[in-house]
Amino acid sequence: MAIAPQASFVEAPPEDESGRFKRILVALDASDHADRALAEALRLVNTSDGVIIGIHAYAAKLHDRRFRQMEGGLPERYLEEQEMERQREVHDSLITRGLDIISDSYHDAAERSCKEAGRPYQRLSPEGKNYRRIVEAVENGDYSLLALGALGLGGIPGSVIGSVCERVVRRSAIDVLVIRDPERAIGDGPVVVGVDGSAQSFGALKTGFAISRRLGIPLHAVAAYDPYYHYVAFNKIAGVLSDEAGKVFRFKEQEKLHEELIDDGLAKIYQAHLEVARVMAEEEGVKLTLELLDGKPYRAIADYLGKVGASLLIIGKIGIHADSYLDIGGNAENLLRTAPCHVWLGRTTYVPPLDVVAEETMTWSNEAEEMLNRAPEFARGMARTAVMRLAQDSGHTFITRSMVEEVAKKLMPGGGGGKCPYSGQDKEKAKQELTWTDEATALVEGLNDKALAGNIRLRAEKSAHREGREKVKAVDVLKFLDGGGE
């Protein structure tokens, strides 16, 4: 029986999307990135008869304080008291009125754009530290989205993300659209959604449906998992554990479990997330292209974005492994910097009806719970979802140990008790037989960071293992190097 749900969700018409793009807050600073943020926000509010609220925060008190601190370093001609008083009056005028004029000018330009598009415009011009005032506006206003540029007027060649953008993104309680390339519009390429089984990732998918439907843009969904990390980790651990510590840690058993789970199980779990996405898309009448990716998730997703020429990536701000202290997930943070397109960081959550029904109606036996708790902590939540989906497909509401075992058999060859090709003596044999081509060796030895080179070497070995080869080739190394992904 398949782990991924084959039955349709409870049939229901698409949710009312009228409020999704109704009130969009746009951060203004006259930069090209901010101008593109306004343009994309206008396209979205035009689909929902919405309104644009522009915000420009200026730190008048900060400028005044800095001027006073610099008075002692002014050129000699300003050291006459009369001249200094005149300069103070000029600067006071700039602070009291000049910054207001600048802010009004930003708003005037934005209002003209909104008027041309037939959309109402509202102004916010708070005084104070820019990122704090934007975050306060988000907290105090009823906005569906914040749009801002990744860079502002301080951007220079090589800049990746501005400090205001980074600080606001971390603190925002609503969805944030970050403009990374002011020359590209959303729709110049497909929209890609990252799915990892979390409520925020499915919320991101719902946002993707709305954008695809309203703007007529092709939609893709990807799920990425890393089957290489634990191979690296266990080989590193093996180098420091004593024989006695290895017995206490039950190293061989742990290594075998992770090899089996990761080689096959994680792929099936993430494929199941894509299957959920497929069913959701079918029910909403949206065409969806699906792709399962392996590798460091943010890197695999960034490579895919470049491959398909994506114009927008939509992901949850935090993912499946988040806890209550996390402000932004690691993959989201890396993609905010490395994605070759605009990035939409979602805070909207959505739980597919199948999971809701399963969580509310199913009961677990003590034996089933005990067996599930033996799974590695990082995989426990995903395994629980897989078991509930299996029970749902078979019509059961009481989950037994046998159901957990059945899922384990599907996630791990031999149900966790079979023979793993790279565990114990077989694994040692595989390591001994594994050889490297000269080209692959040269690629690793050419890396300046020797600590990183060690990790790349182990990942390349794992890649060769997964392909069933006894020789590590250049392609096994290149997939983990910048610019060398397949």
Side-chain angles (χ1 to χ4, degrees):
M1 187 173 295
I3 294 173
Q6 300 301 312
S8 176
F9 294 135
V10 177
E11 291 189 7
E15 66 177 15
D16 180 12
E17 297 173 351
S18 60
R20 189 176 287 271
F21 311 125
K22 196 74 172 178
R23 289 173 54 81
I24 300 181
L25 182 66
V26 181
L28 306 173
D29 67 358
S31 67
D32 291 342
H33 287 76
D35 290 345
R36 171 58 66 182
L38 175 63
E40 297 304 326
L42 271 172
R43 293 177 65 199
L44 293 171
V45 297
N46 270 333
T47 68
S48 59
D49 196 28
V51 58
I52 295 290
I53 301 91
I55 181 170
H56 176 256
Y58 60 94
K61 294 179 181 178
L62 171 64
H63 283 83
D64 185 49
R65 184 168 62 252
R66 292 298 288 168
F67 178 78
R68 296 185 184 193
Q69 291 171 346
M70 292 186 294
E71 285 181 348
L74 291 175
E76 186 175 350
R77 66 178 182 275
Y78 295 108
L79 298 183
E80 295 289 337
E81 289 189 9
Q82 184 176 358
E83 180 62 23
M84 178 60 73
E85 289 299 329
R86 191 180 75 83
Q87 291 301 322
R88 286 175 176 174
E89 289 178 5
V90 170
H91 192 263
D92 286 345
S93 176
L94 172 64
I95 294 300
T96 56
R97 182 59 186 143
L99 292 180
D100 278 340
I101 293 174
I102 293 172
S103 189
D104 286 343
S105 298
Y106 292 166
H107 284 302
D108 289 343
E111 189 168 23
R112 283 194 297 271
S113 296
C114 289
K115 187 175 182 180
E116 291 173 2
R119 297 263 53 86
Y121 180 79
Q122 298 173 7
R123 302 180 179 216
L124 291 177
S125 299
E127 192 284 328
K129 194 68 173 174
N130 40 25
Y131 83 90
R132 288 185 60 183
R133 295 299 176 257
I134 295 173
V135 172
E136 288 171 358
V138 167
E139 293 173 345
N140 297 325
D142 182 22
Y143 306 115
S144 53
L145 174 69
L146 167 64
L148 78 167
L151 297 173
L153 296 177
I156 61 172
S159 296
V160 176
I161 183 172
S163 59
V164 173
C165 177
E166 181 168 15
R167 292 168 181 171
V168 169
V169 164
R170 286 185 176 279
R171 294 165 174 81
S172 175
I174 64 174
D175 287 16
V176 180
L177 169 61
V178 178
I179 298 299
R180 288 188 49 81
D181 183 355
E183 299 300 319
R184 295 193 70 196
I186 296 175
D188 285 351
V191 172
V192 177
V193 181
V195 177
D196 68 356
S198 65
Q200 285 198 8
S201 75
F202 286 125
L205 185 62
K206 296 284 280 187
T207 298
F209 291 161
I211 292 175
S212 176
R213 207 169 10 235
R214 288 166 178 263
L215 300 182
I217 303 172
L219 185 65
H220 296 206
V222 299
Y225 70 104
D226 188 353
Y228 308 99
Y229 168 75
H230 286 86
Y231 182 83
V232 175
F234 272 91
N235 276 276
K236 293 290 186 180
I237 293 171
V240 298
L241 281 181
S242 65
D243 291 341
E244 183 177 352
K247 292 176 182 178
V248 174
F249 184 64
R250 298 170 68 183
F251 181 79
K252 287 298 181 183
E253 294 178 39
Q254 290 280 355
E255 184 181 33
K256 178 180 178 181
L257 173 64
H258 281 75
E259 283 285 349
E260 292 176 339
L261 178 65
I262 291 166
D263 276 350
D264 194 41
L266 282 181
K268 291 184 177 180
I269 289 174
Y270 279 86
Q271 185 62 51
H273 297 329
L274 290 177
E275 180 65 14
V276 173
R278 180 190 64 78
V279 176
M280 289 173 60
E282 287 180 354
E283 294 201 342
E284 296 211 15
V286 176
K287 183 178 179 181
L288 186 64
T289 299
L290 303 175
E291 190 76 26
L292 180 66
L293 309 173
D294 71 87
K296 196 70 173 176
Y298 82 86
R299 171 71 178 275
I301 293 173
D303 287 345
Y304 183 82
L305 296 172
K307 177 182 176 181
V308 301
S311 61
L312 175 66
L313 169 68
I314 309 177
I315 50 175
K317 186 178 173 184
I318 56 176
I320 192 70
H321 301 303
D323 60 29
S324 59
Y325 289 94
L326 197 62
D327 54 1
I328 185 172
N331 288 312
E333 187 167 9
N334 276 293
L335 284 164
L336 180 61
R337 289 169 167 76
T338 62
C341 62
H342 308 313
V343 178
W344 185 305
L345 293 167
R347 292 298 305 272
T348 304
T349 60
Y350 178 78
V351 180
L354 176 68
D355 293 346
V356 174
V357 172
E359 193 69 50
E360 294 296 327
T361 62
M362 291 183 181
T363 303
W364 290 64
S365 71
N366 293 334
E367 293 84 355
E369 285 279 11
E370 181 182 357
M371 184 175 184
L372 182 71
N373 288 334
R374 295 177 190 169
E377 185 175 357
F378 77 92
R380 206 169 293 158
M382 294 182 287
R384 176 179 289 274
T385 299
V387 173
M388 289 193 299
R389 288 174 181 162
L390 176 64
Q392 179 87 356
D393 284 347
S394 58
H396 292 292
T397 58
F398 185 75
I399 295 176
T400 63
R401 177 189 175 96
S402 64
M403 294 178 185
V404 180
E405 290 174 342
E406 184 171 348
V407 168
K409 289 176 182 177
K410 295 180 181 297
L411 295 183
M412 297 180 289
K419 191 174 184 180
C420 175
Y422 306 118
S423 62
Q425 294 180 351
D426 286 343
K427 183 173 180 180
E428 292 303 318
K429 182 179 178 182
K431 285 183 179 179
Q432 292 171 7
E433 294 177 351
L434 196 64
T435 59
W436 283 63
T437 65
D438 292 341
E439 186 178 5
T441 300
L443 285 170
V444 174
E445 291 181 349
L447 295 173
N448 294 326
D449 189 333
K450 298 308 176 185
L452 181 61
N455 289 347
I456 296 296
R457 176 179 291 276
L458 290 170
R459 283 180 173 263
E461 288 180 359
K462 177 68 174 179
S463 175
H465 285 326
R466 285 169 57 81
E467 295 296 327
R469 288 187 268 102
E470 296 180 355
K471 180 170 287 189
V472 179
K473 298 182 178 180
V475 66
D476 297 311
V477 179
L478 285 171
K479 67 170 63 176
F480 303 112
L481 301 181
D482 288 338
E486 296 176 323

